[in-house]
Amino acid sequence: MNRQVQVHGALFLVALIYGSNYSIAKEVMPAYVGPFGLIVIRVVSAALFFGVFARIVVKEKIVGWADNVRSILCGVTGIAINQLCFFAGLNLTVPINAALLMVIVPVIVLIFSAILLKERVSMRKVSGIVVSCAGALLLISTSGSASTAGNIWGDILIIVNAISFGMYLVLVKPLMQKYKAITIVSRIFAVGAVIVIPFGWVEVQQPSYSAFPTSIWLAILFMVVAVTIIAYLFNTWALRYANPSLVGAYIYLQPVLAILIAVGFGKDVFTMQKALYALMIFVGVYLVSRTKQHLPAEQN
């Protein structure tokens, strides 16, 4: 199969998984497990899986002070801050708000790429940043005004999550040029697990797990296997052959899929006001990411 097809297929699957997660996670928290408790379950499970797999199968180590520090920063931004803010925010807001706000990630990627990777930022991209941020702020301003609207603090936490994830995509790119994807995700989840356990240790002990219905166990299994293990592995692998902007651009699909799933299952409503603010976000992100992406030649 062509490498480009593989990369785009992996990124589409990640978008579909993340799009589903907005509604599925809301079924589990906070009624059954608190947001930080759910994070501990996900991150520790993934850390154990990737740690064992990397040690037995890959047997590759990250070497050098610079690469080790960068991998730790990836764990902090890509796992700890990202997960804590996302689930705490989703617990307070609604799936559609969270999905729409996440499309600012490509804008964040552009900003950090300019700062850390010294990429040139044109006026067109600056205009895109302004429009996208304005749409996000307007979307936040509607929060809390109706029963279906998200809490403003939830929306703010989702934005912090988006900033953290955007920084992660830029930080992890150089590592993917030197190490296998499983090596990177093994390290970042180990770092993330150490950080999130103190936040969610109390919440993870509170639920009566024996009383959980099968549907909730299936939802938790989906979040551990698909949202955590498969999505992170595929995303990280894709960064080996694509630049961070292309990976970030696939986040455009998340709100579309999240809206279809949430509305289809009657979990949320999509108003014309939200549609207008969402359009502003999409226009801004389009202006930022319009440049053509080139995937490197296949590596053997």
Side-chain angles (χ1 to χ4, degrees):
M1 184 184 296
N2 182 280
R3 180 67 73 188
Q4 285 192 342
V5 174
Q6 291 177 340
V7 169
H8 287 289
L11 292 175
F12 178 81
L13 179 60
V14 169
L16 179 60
I17 290 172
Y18 282 156
S20 303
N21 184 50
Y22 292 98
S23 294
I24 292 175
K26 294 289 282 187
E27 291 294 311
V28 178
M29 64 178 193
Y32 293 93
V33 185
F36 289 170
L38 191 57
I39 291 168
V40 170
I41 293 173
R42 292 182 58 212
V43 174
V44 171
S45 297
L48 292 172
F49 172 82
F50 285 127
V52 172
F53 191 87
R55 183 174 292 273
I56 295 176
V57 179
V58 179
K59 299 178 180 179
E60 181 185 47
K61 293 183 178 181
I62 297 175
V63 296
W65 184 85
D67 285 356
N68 274 284
V69 170
R70 182 177 286 268
S71 68
I72 292 173
L73 291 175
C74 287
V76 173
T77 56
I79 304 298
I81 297 176
N82 171 35
Q83 293 294 313
L84 290 170
C85 289
F86 177 79
F87 276 88
L90 185 60
N91 187 51
L92 295 174
T93 190
V94 291
I96 287 179
N97 275 29
L100 290 176
L101 289 170
M102 279 301 294
V103 302
I104 68 171
V105 168
V107 177
I108 304 302
V109 169
L110 171 72
I111 294 172
F112 283 116
S113 293
I115 296 172
L116 301 177
L117 304 181
K118 308 302 181 184
E119 291 186 3
R120 181 176 175 272
V121 179
S122 65
M123 284 303 298
R124 173 177 55 79
K125 293 187 176 183
V126 171
S127 300
I129 292 173
V130 172
V131 173
S132 183
C133 288
L137 290 172
L138 287 169
L139 181 61
I140 290 175
S141 70
T142 66
S143 297
S145 59
S147 60
T148 56
N151 181 285
I152 186 170
W153 292 111
D155 289 350
I156 290 172
L157 285 170
I158 293 295
I159 289 181
V160 174
N161 153 69
I163 293 171
S164 181
F165 188 68
M167 181 183 292
Y168 158 75
L169 290 177
V170 176
L171 287 172
V172 79
K173 174 63 177 177
L175 294 176
M176 287 312 305
Q177 305 306 307
K178 301 173 65 174
Y179 305 98
K180 293 181 174 63
I182 193 70
T183 303
I184 303 303
V185 294
S186 174
R187 169 63 62 84
I188 66 175
F189 270 100
V191 172
V194 171
I195 298 174
V196 303
I197 286 175
F199 286 91
W201 183 247
V202 174
E203 285 189 4
V204 82
Q205 298 179 78
Q206 290 175 341
S208 176
Y209 293 100
S210 61
F212 283 11
T214 302
S215 61
I216 296 302
W217 278 116
L218 290 175
I220 293 174
L221 183 64
F222 173 82
M223 283 186 282
V224 171
V225 176
V227 181
T228 310
I229 295 175
I230 294 176
Y232 268 90
L233 186 59
F234 278 26
N235 236 353
T236 308
W237 172 83
L239 278 166
R240 187 177 184 88
Y241 305 100
N243 62 42
S245 295
L246 178 60
V247 177
Y250 262 84
I251 291 175
Y252 304 162
L253 278 178
Q254 288 187 30
V256 177
L257 297 171
I259 288 168
L260 292 175
I261 293 168
V263 174
F265 285 92
K267 303 296 182 182
D268 209 343
V269 294
F270 191 56
T271 65
M272 289 303 297
Q273 187 179 36
K274 286 185 178 181
L276 176 61
Y277 299 155
L279 180 61
M280 291 179 64
I281 295 175
F282 278 109
V283 169
V285 175
Y286 169 75
L287 291 173
V288 168
S289 307
R290 195 176 60 181
T291 52
K292 185 178 180 181
Q293 305 294 340
H294 297 280
L295 295 179
E298 181 174 348
Q299 300 178 17
N300 298 317

